[in-house]
Amino acid sequence: MARDIRGWWTKIERVISYKQRLDADAQRRKAMDRHLVFLVKQTERYGESLTTQMEDGGSVSDDHEDGGEETRRLPCRRKARSM
């Protein structure tokens, strides 16, 4: 009788572990999807920025009156938080 009860609780623990793993995987996938959307939008912004710069000046860099050259930098974002 005790062996049957212990076996039953072992099965319950496996089910709980499986459900917890499913929840963790779902959260991880959700976070990865959000990060992917962020990266796609960021890439689109960079592409639009480059297109605008190329149309406006034909170059990514500007020459200043003093003869120096300054390169425009695209905005960059810090690394995304670990998931």
Side-chain angles (χ1 to χ4, degrees), residues 6-48:
R6 191 175 323 147
W8 184 80
W9 279 110
T10 301
K11 288 179 184 179
I12 294 298
E13 288 173 355
R14 287 182 190 164
V15 169
I16 291 171
S17 175
Y18 176 73
K19 286 187 177 189
Q20 287 174 339
R21 189 175 40 234
L22 285 178
D23 289 342
D25 288 346
Q27 287 178 346
R28 185 178 58 83
R29 275 192 308 275
K30 203 177 208 181
M32 289 175 67
D33 286 343
R34 282 192 311 262
H35 186 64
L36 179 61
V37 168
F38 165 77
L39 290 174
V40 168
K41 286 181 180 179
Q42 184 181 41
T43 303
E44 287 174 351
R45 283 193 311 266
Y46 286 166
E48 290 170 3

Side-chain angles (χ1 to χ4, degrees), residues 1 3-4 8 11 14 20-21 26 29 32 40 42 44 48 52 54 56-57 59 61-65 71 78 82-83:
M1 174 92 163
R3 189 177 314 142
D4 292 337
W8 184 80
K11 288 179 184 179
R14 287 182 190 164
Q20 287 174 339
R21 189 175 40 234
R29 275 192 308 275
M32 289 175 67
V40 168
Q42 184 181 41
E44 287 174 351
E48 290 170 3
T52 302
M54 294 300 283
D56 289 346
S59 174
S61 61
D62 285 337
D63 289 335
H64 291 284
E65 292 176 12
T71 303
R78 297 199 183 271
S82 299
M83 289 172 244

